[in-house]
Amino acid sequence: MLSRRTFLTAAAASAAIPNFAKIASAQTPVEIVVMAKGIDDVVNGFDPAQAYLGTDYEITSNTYRMLVTLDPEDGTRYISDLAESWEVAEDGLTITFILRDDVVFESGNPVTAEDVRWSIWRLMKMGQYPATDYALLGWSAETIDEIVEAVDERTFVIHMPEVRAPGTVLNTLASPRGCVVDKLTALEHEVDGDMGNAWLRTHSAGSGSYKLTEWLAGDRIILDANPNAEVQPNVPRLLIRNVADPATQLLLLEQDDIDIARDLGSDQLPSVREQDDLVEVSALTTAQMNIVMNQDHEILSNPLVIQAIKWAVDCEAIANNITPGIWDVWQASFLPSNVKGAVPSTFYKDSDRARQLLEEAGYPDGFSITLDHFAAWPWANIAQAIQSDMAEIGIDVQLVSADQGQVITKYRAREHELALVYWATNLYDPDYNARTWCINIDDSEDSELKTQAWRNHFIDDDMAARADAAGKELDEEVRAEMYHQLQIDFMERAPVSWLLQMRDIAVHRAETPGLHLGGLAYLNRFAGITKS
């Protein structure tokens, strides 16, 4: 087990963790912070044009920077990052950014408007899942050359193909989709025209506080201080160990073997709160747990069955007995509670009502269905509770457990029946969630717009048209009312049952403060962590 000391020699560390020679130099002691976290959600590594899950976002947002970022104190406000200023044209179709001239990449190359243009262009040309966020703005691989322009070294211009509320565009650029990659470095490592993709999965080419030193799937991630970063981290090395079990995380924390635990559960927190040398920090996230229902399945395409499932689950019991203080009831629509204009749900457990709906749907004796879920806590526990609730109304749920990456991959391939997953919006602007959950204009396998609606074969032309119109409405009051009614109709029709919303909780040793939790994974910051 890794001994917790401010400085570790290579010899001591090698005895503690296999292959630690890769982590620490034999000649130089390393100042290090050790964080325990489940990292099995990392599937493809950390190329910003390909990465799309929580841990991916944390790593890319600490190794790359964006044109703009969200104000830590007000998630609806945008502040400068690589851009010192920007201007939106009166018609909303042109946004001009002036870049700072004092920022360099970890390679020492200056950050230029061409790097910004190429990063977005590359993302769209690669066409991986992150491209969906820009596709929601009406961008495509075929049109991207006309949309992004580097006028000179410091001037970057976006020519919108159609009007979008400015906040939606800025919020997309502030998300991991807006990571600015060092073009020269990426192309130096290009293989067979991959634009550096293979190399960028396990390396970084950014201007953030850290650089990615190593990723060993299922084992560890190592970040080192970027020597050219504007904001230098207080501790030059961060080792993230893959520890999925919350009880094991707490044990390692109490034994002084790690500095920070990221995934403690409701069973561990009471013990933490009794120990003076352990400190809890938290932030309400936008992560919403939900049951998604594949409309390609004949039974699940029945609107009455969808309604029955929504009335079957006892979210209050789950929150009180399985996830107290971490996952709270938010049985609502497609907006989390901390996004302006979110509409709460009227759903609750009503088994009699659910059984009646099944009978009206033609299934008085119920049916059998599978539910994919993550193997880790609390997902397995919640899946069992859902299985029990469903049994009460006659639905026989067969549980299919796998690690997070496998479940998400299966869900993205639309091979699920029911799946217990989560959705954490990248944007505080409602347009993002409205589009991804309501719009599915091409349900084919090669669709360019692989939204959440697409993943579930959900097609509703009325809601799709209204979601699109709301995203183009520049009058904020009119826009708010459009989203309000859209949420109400979505709760009634859509094949997704929202259950809970998560609070991100981390626990650190008293001598290792400084972790910033921002509510969104890509707003979590590591550079402020100190160690005494």
Side-chain angles (χ1 to χ4, degrees):
M1 210 176 287
L2 181 63
S3 175
R4 184 190 168 281
R5 298 173 55 192
T6 302
F7 293 92
L8 296 178
T9 64
S14 295
I17 292 182
N19 298 321
F20 203 95
K22 295 181 179 179
I23 301 175
S25 163
Q27 289 77 32
T28 308
V30 177
E31 189 175 359
I32 185 171
V33 163
V34 183
M35 178 187 296
K37 185 180 190 294
I39 60 171
D40 65 4
D41 58 335
V42 182
V43 178
N44 297 311
F46 304 102
D47 182 341
Q50 191 173 36
Y52 61 88
L53 291 174
T55 300
D56 303 343
Y57 292 165
E58 283 197 346
I59 301 305
T60 55
S61 63
N62 279 278
T63 52
Y64 293 87
R65 293 175 67 177
M66 298 78 167
L67 283 172
V68 297
T69 189
L70 297 178
D71 185 340
E73 306 302 324
D74 179 2
T76 65
R77 181 172 173 268
Y78 308 99
I79 58 177
S80 299
D81 196 358
L82 294 175
E84 68 178 20
S85 66
W86 61 91
E87 182 179 357
V88 180
E90 194 170 318
D91 62 5
L93 290 173
T94 304
I95 307 178
T96 302
F97 297 87
I98 304 301
L99 271 65
R100 296 171 50 183
D101 61 2
D102 58 348
V103 183
V104 298
F105 291 109
E106 61 185 70
S107 65
N109 297 329
V111 177
T112 69
E114 174 57 19
D115 293 300
V116 179
R117 185 206 67 80
W118 184 79
S119 297
I120 298 174
W121 177 90
R122 172 180 180 271
L123 184 149
M124 294 305 297
K125 291 296 185 181
M126 283 180 58
Q128 300 291 314
Y129 179 68
T132 300
D133 286 9
Y134 288 116
L136 289 170
L137 297 175
W139 303 10
S140 70
E142 290 72 31
T143 61
I144 193 63
D145 287 299
E146 289 76 47
I147 293 171
V148 290
E149 178 188 10
V151 176
D152 55 42
E153 286 198 352
R154 295 185 57 206
T155 308
F156 170 70
V157 179
I158 293 175
H159 303 282
M160 293 293 295
E162 55 187 357
V163 173
R164 284 284 187 271
T168 303
V169 183
L170 292 173
N171 216 162
T172 304
L173 294 170
S175 79
R177 312 312 188 221
C179 288
V180 177
V181 179
D182 182 345
K183 176 182 177 181
L184 294 177
T185 296
L187 291 180
E188 284 174 3
H189 296 90
E190 184 176 41
V191 177
D192 296 329
D194 73 346
M195 295 181 281
N197 171 245
W199 186 80
L200 285 170
R201 291 181 183 183
T202 55
H203 300 80
S204 56
S207 54
S209 294
Y210 288 94
K211 62 179 181 178
L212 176 62
T213 298
E214 183 179 22
W215 168 48
L216 185 60
D219 185 31
R220 62 177 176 256
I221 301 167
I222 302 169
L223 302 179
D224 282 323
N226 170 7
N228 292 314
E230 180 180 17
V231 178
Q232 285 291 316
N234 291 316
V235 179
R237 172 157 288 185
L238 176 65
L239 167 61
I240 302 174
R241 294 178 57 185
N242 183 34
V243 182
D245 179 60
T248 303
Q249 287 193 20
L250 178 58
L251 179 63
L252 292 171
L253 194 66
E254 291 175 332
Q255 291 181 342
D256 232 356
D257 292 313
I258 63 172
D259 301 289
I260 303 168
R262 294 293 305 280
D263 302 313
L264 298 188
S266 299
D267 290 345
Q268 289 77 44
L269 291 178
S271 173
V272 166
R273 291 160 183 164
E274 295 175 354
Q275 302 183 54
D276 293 338
D277 59 343
L278 301 181
V279 180
E280 178 184 338
V281 293
S282 69
L284 182 63
T285 76
T286 61
Q288 296 170 271
M289 186 183 299
N290 54 61
I291 302 171
V292 288
M293 313 170 205
N294 194 333
Q295 299 291 273
D296 198 40
H297 191 287
E298 181 180 357
I299 296 176
L300 296 177
S301 67
N302 189 315
L304 295 175
V305 171
I306 293 171
Q307 285 283 314
I309 290 173
K310 292 181 180 182
W311 288 105
V313 180
D314 192 343
C315 292
E316 292 283 352
I318 291 172
N320 291 334
N321 299 322
I322 300 177
T323 62
I326 298 179
W327 286 92
D328 299 323
V329 176
W330 184 246
Q331 226 171 329
S333 187
F334 55 73
L335 291 184
S337 64
N338 49 344
V339 170
K340 185 178 180 181
V343 176
S345 172
T346 56
F347 288 108
Y348 52 88
K349 181 179 179 180
D350 188 335
S351 297
D352 291 339
R353 187 170 185 172
R355 278 191 291 267
Q356 179 62 35
L357 286 164
L358 283 185
E359 185 171 345
E360 293 175 15
Y363 302 99
D365 300 321
F367 54 85
S368 181
I369 202 80
T370 61
L371 174 70
D372 291 282
H373 66 88
F374 308 149
W377 183 94
W379 305 92
N381 311 65
I382 294 173
Q384 291 170 11
I386 291 170
Q387 182 185 49
S388 177
D389 287 338
M390 295 288 193
E392 288 185 27
I393 67 169
I395 300 177
D396 175 29
V397 174
Q398 303 298 313
L399 301 182
V400 182
S401 177
D403 68 43
Q404 185 167 336
Q406 290 174 306
V407 174
I408 293 296
T409 299
K410 184 176 181 180
Y411 174 42
R412 288 188 67 200
R414 307 198 288 186
E415 296 171 353
H416 64 294
E417 293 181 353
L418 298 177
L420 178 65
V421 291
Y422 72 95
W423 171 255
T425 179
N426 291 328
L427 312 182
Y428 281 111
D429 189 283
D431 177 72
Y432 184 77
N433 269 13
R435 288 184 179 278
T436 197
W437 286 103
C438 298
I439 297 178
N440 179 14
I441 57 176
D442 178 3
D443 199 50
S444 67
E445 289 302 315
D446 57 356
S447 172
E448 289 191 359
L449 203 62
K450 295 183 178 179
T451 61
Q452 296 296 311
W454 178 89
R455 289 188 186 185
N456 292 290
H457 292 281
F458 175 52
I459 301 172
D460 188 308
D461 293 338
D462 169 63
M463 285 200 294
R466 289 159 56 197
D468 182 61
K472 297 174 181 177
E473 177 57 57
L474 299 182
D475 185 311
E476 287 301 319
E477 289 187 9
V478 173
R479 191 166 178 248
E481 178 55 34
M482 295 171 75
Y483 285 124
H484 180 86
Q485 189 58 49
L486 188 63
Q487 290 178 78
I488 293 173
D489 293 341
F490 181 90
M491 283 187 279
E492 182 71 19
R493 306 180 201 171
V496 53
S497 179
W498 300 101
L499 308 176
L500 309 164
Q501 184 172 343
M502 189 183 78
R503 181 170 293 279
D504 190 6
I505 295 178
V507 177
H508 63 81
R509 297 198 60 82
E511 63 270 27
T512 319
L515 171 66
H516 174 75
L517 299 179
L520 295 169
Y522 65 82
L523 295 179
N524 294 342
R525 293 291 183 265
F526 303 149
I529 298 172
T530 60
K531 185 169 180 177
S532 59

PDB file of all heavy atoms in Angstrom, residues 48-75:
ATOM      1  N   PRO A  48      -9.486  15.259 -26.333  1.00  0.00           N
ATOM      2  CA  PRO A  48     -10.720  16.035 -26.144  1.00  0.00           C
ATOM      3  C   PRO A  48     -11.752  15.827 -27.248  1.00  0.00           C
ATOM      4  O   PRO A  48     -12.945  16.051 -27.024  1.00  0.00           O
ATOM      5  CB  PRO A  48     -10.218  17.485 -26.134  1.00  0.00           C
ATOM      6  CG  PRO A  48      -8.793  17.404 -25.718  1.00  0.00           C
ATOM      7  CD  PRO A  48      -8.292  16.112 -26.313  1.00  0.00           C
ATOM      8  N   ALA A  49     -11.310  15.396 -28.420  1.00  0.00           N
ATOM      9  CA  ALA A  49     -12.242  15.163 -29.520  1.00  0.00           C
ATOM     10  C   ALA A  49     -12.936  13.813 -29.412  1.00  0.00           C
ATOM     11  O   ALA A  49     -13.805  13.496 -30.226  1.00  0.00           O
ATOM     12  CB  ALA A  49     -11.519  15.255 -30.860  1.00  0.00           C
ATOM     13  N   GLN A  50     -12.573  13.038 -28.390  1.00  0.00           N
ATOM     14  CA  GLN A  50     -13.117  11.695 -28.246  1.00  0.00           C
ATOM     15  C   GLN A  50     -13.653  11.419 -26.848  1.00  0.00           C
ATOM     16  O   GLN A  50     -14.585  10.633 -26.677  1.00  0.00           O
ATOM     17  CB  GLN A  50     -12.023  10.670 -28.594  1.00  0.00           C
ATOM     18  CG  GLN A  50     -12.494   9.250 -28.746  1.00  0.00           C
ATOM     19  CD  GLN A  50     -11.377   8.358 -29.262  1.00  0.00           C
ATOM     20  OE1 GLN A  50     -10.206   8.525 -28.917  1.00  0.00           O
ATOM     21  NE2 GLN A  50     -11.714   7.396 -30.101  1.00  0.00           N
ATOM     22  N   ALA A  51     -13.075  12.060 -25.826  1.00  0.00           N
ATOM     23  CA  ALA A  51     -13.448  11.801 -24.433  1.00  0.00           C
ATOM     24  C   ALA A  51     -14.833  12.364 -24.138  1.00  0.00           C
ATOM     25  O   ALA A  51     -15.184  13.451 -24.597  1.00  0.00           O
ATOM     26  CB  ALA A  51     -12.405  12.434 -23.505  1.00  0.00           C
ATOM     27  N   TYR A  52     -15.628  11.638 -23.331  1.00  0.00           N
ATOM     28  CA  TYR A  52     -16.991  12.096 -23.136  1.00  0.00           C
ATOM     29  C   TYR A  52     -17.595  11.767 -21.774  1.00  0.00           C
ATOM     30  O   TYR A  52     -18.788  11.959 -21.568  1.00  0.00           O
ATOM     31  CB  TYR A  52     -17.908  11.531 -24.227  1.00  0.00           C
ATOM     32  CG  TYR A  52     -17.998  10.014 -24.262  1.00  0.00           C
ATOM     33  CD1 TYR A  52     -18.939   9.327 -23.502  1.00  0.00           C
ATOM     34  CD2 TYR A  52     -17.148   9.275 -25.066  1.00  0.00           C
ATOM     35  CE1 TYR A  52     -19.018   7.945 -23.525  1.00  0.00           C
ATOM     36  CE2 TYR A  52     -17.230   7.896 -25.109  1.00  0.00           C
ATOM     37  CZ  TYR A  52     -18.169   7.237 -24.338  1.00  0.00           C
ATOM     38  OH  TYR A  52     -18.235   5.866 -24.376  1.00  0.00           O
ATOM     39  N   LEU A  53     -16.821  11.267 -20.799  1.00  0.00           N
ATOM     40  CA  LEU A  53     -17.400  10.921 -19.506  1.00  0.00           C
ATOM     41  C   LEU A  53     -16.744  11.709 -18.381  1.00  0.00           C
ATOM     42  O   LEU A  53     -15.794  12.463 -18.584  1.00  0.00           O
ATOM     43  CB  LEU A  53     -17.277   9.418 -19.264  1.00  0.00           C
ATOM     44  CG  LEU A  53     -18.148   8.541 -20.174  1.00  0.00           C
ATOM     45  CD1 LEU A  53     -17.839   7.064 -19.947  1.00  0.00           C
ATOM     46  CD2 LEU A  53     -19.629   8.810 -19.948  1.00  0.00           C
ATOM     47  N   GLY A  54     -17.252  11.518 -17.149  1.00  0.00           N
ATOM     48  CA  GLY A  54     -16.874  12.357 -16.016  1.00  0.00           C
ATOM     49  C   GLY A  54     -15.394  12.465 -15.741  1.00  0.00           C
ATOM     50  O   GLY A  54     -14.840  13.561 -15.631  1.00  0.00           O
ATOM     51  N   THR A  55     -14.702  11.330 -15.607  1.00  0.00           N
ATOM     52  CA  THR A  55     -13.267  11.377 -15.333  1.00  0.00           C
ATOM     53  C   THR A  55     -12.523  11.991 -16.512  1.00  0.00           C
ATOM     54  O   THR A  55     -11.555  12.744 -16.333  1.00  0.00           O
ATOM     55  CB  THR A  55     -12.725   9.970 -15.027  1.00  0.00           C
ATOM     56  OG1 THR A  55     -13.396   9.446 -13.873  1.00  0.00           O
ATOM     57  CG2 THR A  55     -11.231  10.011 -14.747  1.00  0.00           C
ATOM     58  N   ASP A  56     -12.963  11.676 -17.738  1.00  0.00           N
ATOM     59  CA  ASP A  56     -12.356  12.287 -18.922  1.00  0.00           C
ATOM     60  C   ASP A  56     -12.398  13.809 -18.808  1.00  0.00           C
ATOM     61  O   ASP A  56     -11.413  14.499 -19.085  1.00  0.00           O
ATOM     62  CB  ASP A  56     -13.124  11.903 -20.192  1.00  0.00           C
ATOM     63  CG  ASP A  56     -13.215  10.405 -20.416  1.00  0.00           C
ATOM     64  OD1 ASP A  56     -12.443   9.675 -19.796  1.00  0.00           O
ATOM     65  OD2 ASP A  56     -14.056   9.990 -21.215  1.00  0.00           O
ATOM     66  N   TYR A  57     -13.570  14.324 -18.440  1.00  0.00           N
ATOM     67  CA  TYR A  57     -13.752  15.778 -18.354  1.00  0.00           C
ATOM     68  C   TYR A  57     -12.842  16.395 -17.300  1.00  0.00           C
ATOM     69  O   TYR A  57     -12.289  17.477 -17.491  1.00  0.00           O
ATOM     70  CB  TYR A  57     -15.204  16.109 -18.028  1.00  0.00           C
ATOM     71  CG  TYR A  57     -16.194  15.797 -19.127  1.00  0.00           C
ATOM     72  CD1 TYR A  57     -17.549  15.755 -18.862  1.00  0.00           C
ATOM     73  CD2 TYR A  57     -15.780  15.547 -20.436  1.00  0.00           C
ATOM     74  CE1 TYR A  57     -18.475  15.471 -19.857  1.00  0.00           C
ATOM     75  CE2 TYR A  57     -16.693  15.266 -21.436  1.00  0.00           C
ATOM     76  CZ  TYR A  57     -18.041  15.226 -21.134  1.00  0.00           C
ATOM     77  OH  TYR A  57     -18.953  14.949 -22.126  1.00  0.00           O
ATOM     78  N   GLU A  58     -12.716  15.710 -16.162  1.00  0.00           N
ATOM     79  CA  GLU A  58     -11.840  16.243 -15.117  1.00  0.00           C
ATOM     80  C   GLU A  58     -10.399  16.353 -15.597  1.00  0.00           C
ATOM     81  O   GLU A  58      -9.728  17.362 -15.330  1.00  0.00           O
ATOM     82  CB  GLU A  58     -11.888  15.343 -13.871  1.00  0.00           C
ATOM     83  CG  GLU A  58     -13.131  15.519 -13.036  1.00  0.00           C
ATOM     84  CD  GLU A  58     -12.967  14.941 -11.640  1.00  0.00           C
ATOM     85  OE1 GLU A  58     -12.003  14.175 -11.402  1.00  0.00           O
ATOM     86  OE2 GLU A  58     -13.794  15.252 -10.793  1.00  0.00           O
ATOM     87  N   ILE A  59      -9.935  15.331 -16.286  1.00  0.00           N
ATOM     88  CA  ILE A  59      -8.541  15.337 -16.729  1.00  0.00           C
ATOM     89  C   ILE A  59      -8.331  16.368 -17.832  1.00  0.00           C
ATOM     90  O   ILE A  59      -7.379  17.164 -17.792  1.00  0.00           O
ATOM     91  CB  ILE A  59      -8.122  13.935 -17.208  1.00  0.00           C
ATOM     92  CG1 ILE A  59      -8.286  12.911 -16.073  1.00  0.00           C
ATOM     93  CG2 ILE A  59      -6.681  13.960 -17.706  1.00  0.00           C
ATOM     94  CD1 ILE A  59      -7.569  13.245 -14.789  1.00  0.00           C
ATOM     95  N   THR A  60      -9.198  16.380 -18.844  1.00  0.00           N
ATOM     96  CA  THR A  60      -8.997  17.326 -19.947  1.00  0.00           C
ATOM     97  C   THR A  60      -9.129  18.775 -19.479  1.00  0.00           C
ATOM     98  O   THR A  60      -8.403  19.645 -19.953  1.00  0.00           O
ATOM     99  CB  THR A  60      -9.982  17.053 -21.101  1.00  0.00           C
ATOM    100  OG1 THR A  60     -11.328  17.071 -20.611  1.00  0.00           O
ATOM    101  CG2 THR A  60      -9.694  15.715 -21.753  1.00  0.00           C
ATOM    102  N   SER A  61     -10.031  19.041 -18.545  1.00  0.00           N
ATOM    103  CA  SER A  61     -10.208  20.428 -18.108  1.00  0.00           C
ATOM    104  C   SER A  61      -9.093  20.898 -17.190  1.00  0.00           C
ATOM    105  O   SER A  61      -8.945  22.101 -16.961  1.00  0.00           O
ATOM    106  CB  SER A  61     -11.559  20.601 -17.410  1.00  0.00           C
ATOM    107  OG  SER A  61     -11.639  19.815 -16.243  1.00  0.00           O
ATOM    108  N   ASN A  62      -8.282  19.983 -16.690  1.00  0.00           N
ATOM    109  CA  ASN A  62      -7.118  20.370 -15.894  1.00  0.00           C
ATOM    110  C   ASN A  62      -5.826  20.354 -16.711  1.00  0.00           C
ATOM    111  O   ASN A  62      -4.785  20.797 -16.225  1.00  0.00           O
ATOM    112  CB  ASN A  62      -6.982  19.460 -14.672  1.00  0.00           C
ATOM    113  CG  ASN A  62      -7.902  19.858 -13.535  1.00  0.00           C
ATOM    114  OD1 ASN A  62      -7.597  20.756 -12.755  1.00  0.00           O
ATOM    115  ND2 ASN A  62      -9.051  19.203 -13.441  1.00  0.00           N
ATOM    116  N   THR A  63      -5.911  19.845 -17.947  1.00  0.00           N
ATOM    117  CA  THR A  63      -4.729  19.824 -18.811  1.00  0.00           C
ATOM    118  C   THR A  63      -4.879  20.741 -20.027  1.00  0.00           C
ATOM    119  O   THR A  63      -3.884  21.042 -20.685  1.00  0.00           O
ATOM    120  CB  THR A  63      -4.432  18.386 -19.301  1.00  0.00           C
ATOM    121  OG1 THR A  63      -5.609  17.817 -19.882  1.00  0.00           O
ATOM    122  CG2 THR A  63      -3.982  17.505 -18.136  1.00  0.00           C
ATOM    123  N   TYR A  64      -6.107  21.161 -20.315  1.00  0.00           N
ATOM    124  CA  TYR A  64      -6.367  22.071 -21.438  1.00  0.00           C
ATOM    125  C   TYR A  64      -7.093  23.313 -20.934  1.00  0.00           C
ATOM    126  O   TYR A  64      -7.606  23.331 -19.817  1.00  0.00           O
ATOM    127  CB  TYR A  64      -7.234  21.385 -22.507  1.00  0.00           C
ATOM    128  CG  TYR A  64      -6.563  20.243 -23.210  1.00  0.00           C
ATOM    129  CD1 TYR A  64      -6.616  18.947 -22.693  1.00  0.00           C
ATOM    130  CD2 TYR A  64      -5.869  20.436 -24.405  1.00  0.00           C
ATOM    131  CE1 TYR A  64      -5.990  17.890 -23.335  1.00  0.00           C
ATOM    132  CE2 TYR A  64      -5.244  19.386 -25.059  1.00  0.00           C
ATOM    133  CZ  TYR A  64      -5.301  18.121 -24.513  1.00  0.00           C
ATOM    134  OH  TYR A  64      -4.682  17.064 -25.155  1.00  0.00           O
ATOM    135  N   ARG A  65      -7.120  24.337 -21.792  1.00  0.00           N
ATOM    136  CA  ARG A  65      -7.911  25.536 -21.513  1.00  0.00           C
ATOM    137  C   ARG A  65      -8.827  25.819 -22.701  1.00  0.00           C
ATOM    138  O   ARG A  65      -8.639  25.303 -23.790  1.00  0.00           O
ATOM    139  CB  ARG A  65      -6.992  26.733 -21.220  1.00  0.00           C
ATOM    140  CG  ARG A  65      -6.222  26.566 -19.921  1.00  0.00           C
ATOM    141  CD  ARG A  65      -5.229  27.666 -19.680  1.00  0.00           C
ATOM    142  NE  ARG A  65      -5.885  28.963 -19.449  1.00  0.00           N
ATOM    143  CZ  ARG A  65      -5.219  30.082 -19.151  1.00  0.00           C
ATOM    144  NH1 ARG A  65      -3.898  30.061 -19.087  1.00  0.00           N
ATOM    145  NH2 ARG A  65      -5.866  31.205 -18.935  1.00  0.00           N
ATOM    146  N   MET A  66      -9.843  26.650 -22.446  1.00  0.00           N
ATOM    147  CA  MET A  66     -10.837  26.975 -23.447  1.00  0.00           C
ATOM    148  C   MET A  66     -10.821  28.473 -23.725  1.00  0.00           C
ATOM    149  O   MET A  66     -10.166  29.239 -23.021  1.00  0.00           O
ATOM    150  CB  MET A  66     -12.234  26.566 -22.965  1.00  0.00           C
ATOM    151  CG  MET A  66     -12.410  25.074 -22.727  1.00  0.00           C
ATOM    152  SD  MET A  66     -11.691  24.533 -21.160  1.00  0.00           S
ATOM    153  CE  MET A  66     -12.390  22.896 -21.009  1.00  0.00           C
ATOM    154  N   LEU A  67     -11.547  28.909 -24.735  1.00  0.00           N
ATOM    155  CA  LEU A  67     -11.652  30.344 -25.018  1.00  0.00           C
ATOM    156  C   LEU A  67     -12.266  31.082 -23.841  1.00  0.00           C
ATOM    157  O   LEU A  67     -11.779  32.136 -23.413  1.00  0.00           O
ATOM    158  CB  LEU A  67     -12.512  30.573 -26.263  1.00  0.00           C
ATOM    159  CG  LEU A  67     -11.875  30.316 -27.618  1.00  0.00           C
ATOM    160  CD1 LEU A  67     -12.931  30.405 -28.707  1.00  0.00           C
ATOM    161  CD2 LEU A  67     -10.751  31.318 -27.888  1.00  0.00           C
ATOM    162  N   VAL A  68     -13.363  30.547 -23.333  1.00  0.00           N
ATOM    163  CA  VAL A  68     -14.057  31.144 -22.196  1.00  0.00           C
ATOM    164  C   VAL A  68     -14.340  30.047 -21.188  1.00  0.00           C
ATOM    165  O   VAL A  68     -14.270  28.861 -21.500  1.00  0.00           O
ATOM    166  CB  VAL A  68     -15.373  31.829 -22.614  1.00  0.00           C
ATOM    167  CG1 VAL A  68     -15.109  32.983 -23.559  1.00  0.00           C
ATOM    168  CG2 VAL A  68     -16.332  30.827 -23.252  1.00  0.00           C
ATOM    169  N   THR A  69     -14.673  30.438 -19.980  1.00  0.00           N
ATOM    170  CA  THR A  69     -15.044  29.464 -18.963  1.00  0.00           C
ATOM    171  C   THR A  69     -16.205  30.034 -18.167  1.00  0.00           C
ATOM    172  O   THR A  69     -16.566  31.205 -18.309  1.00  0.00           O
ATOM    173  CB  THR A  69     -13.847  29.122 -18.057  1.00  0.00           C
ATOM    174  OG1 THR A  69     -14.194  28.022 -17.216  1.00  0.00           O
ATOM    175  CG2 THR A  69     -13.444  30.307 -17.187  1.00  0.00           C
ATOM    176  N   LEU A  70     -16.804  29.198 -17.326  1.00  0.00           N
ATOM    177  CA  LEU A  70     -17.913  29.635 -16.498  1.00  0.00           C
ATOM    178  C   LEU A  70     -17.387  30.255 -15.215  1.00  0.00           C
ATOM    179  O   LEU A  70     -16.412  29.788 -14.625  1.00  0.00           O
ATOM    180  CB  LEU A  70     -18.825  28.451 -16.167  1.00  0.00           C
ATOM    181  CG  LEU A  70     -19.513  27.768 -17.346  1.00  0.00           C
ATOM    182  CD1 LEU A  70     -20.348  26.588 -16.859  1.00  0.00           C
ATOM    183  CD2 LEU A  70     -20.397  28.748 -18.096  1.00  0.00           C
ATOM    184  N   ASP A  71     -18.056  31.296 -14.778  1.00  0.00           N
ATOM    185  CA  ASP A  71     -17.720  31.947 -13.520  1.00  0.00           C
ATOM    186  C   ASP A  71     -17.964  30.950 -12.382  1.00  0.00           C
ATOM    187  O   ASP A  71     -19.075  30.424 -12.254  1.00  0.00           O
ATOM    188  CB  ASP A  71     -18.601  33.181 -13.339  1.00  0.00           C
ATOM    189  CG  ASP A  71     -18.237  33.999 -12.109  1.00  0.00           C
ATOM    190  OD1 ASP A  71     -17.589  33.456 -11.189  1.00  0.00           O
ATOM    191  OD2 ASP A  71     -18.616  35.180 -12.059  1.00  0.00           O
ATOM    192  N   PRO A  72     -16.942  30.640 -11.552  1.00  0.00           N
ATOM    193  CA  PRO A  72     -17.133  29.683 -10.456  1.00  0.00           C
ATOM    194  C   PRO A  72     -18.245  30.077  -9.492  1.00  0.00           C
ATOM    195  O   PRO A  72     -18.850  29.223  -8.842  1.00  0.00           O
ATOM    196  CB  PRO A  72     -15.768  29.681  -9.749  1.00  0.00           C
ATOM    197  CG  PRO A  72     -14.803  30.166 -10.764  1.00  0.00           C
ATOM    198  CD  PRO A  72     -15.564  31.140 -11.617  1.00  0.00           C
ATOM    199  N   GLU A  73     -18.532  31.377  -9.413  1.00  0.00           N
ATOM    200  CA  GLU A  73     -19.567  31.852  -8.495  1.00  0.00           C
ATOM    201  C   GLU A  73     -20.939  31.957  -9.154  1.00  0.00           C
ATOM    202  O   GLU A  73     -21.947  32.119  -8.462  1.00  0.00           O
ATOM    203  CB  GLU A  73     -19.168  33.224  -7.926  1.00  0.00           C
ATOM    204  CG  GLU A  73     -17.793  33.261  -7.275  1.00  0.00           C
ATOM    205  CD  GLU A  73     -17.680  32.254  -6.130  1.00  0.00           C
ATOM    206  OE1 GLU A  73     -18.682  32.063  -5.415  1.00  0.00           O
ATOM    207  OE2 GLU A  73     -16.594  31.665  -5.974  1.00  0.00           O
ATOM    208  N   ASP A  74     -21.013  31.900 -10.486  1.00  0.00           N
ATOM    209  CA  ASP A  74     -22.276  32.066 -11.192  1.00  0.00           C
ATOM    210  C   ASP A  74     -22.189  31.321 -12.517  1.00  0.00           C
ATOM    211  O   ASP A  74     -21.619  31.817 -13.489  1.00  0.00           O
ATOM    212  CB  ASP A  74     -22.576  33.552 -11.434  1.00  0.00           C
ATOM    213  CG  ASP A  74     -23.874  33.784 -12.193  1.00  0.00           C
ATOM    214  OD1 ASP A  74     -24.568  32.799 -12.505  1.00  0.00           O
ATOM    215  OD2 ASP A  74     -24.193  34.952 -12.465  1.00  0.00           O
ATOM    216  N   GLY A  75     -22.744  30.101 -12.552  1.00  0.00           N
ATOM    217  CA  GLY A  75     -22.613  29.247 -13.719  1.00  0.00           C
ATOM    218  C   GLY A  75     -23.317  29.749 -14.956  1.00  0.00           C
ATOM    219  O   GLY A  75     -23.179  29.153 -16.026  1.00  0.00           O
TER     220      GLY A  75
END
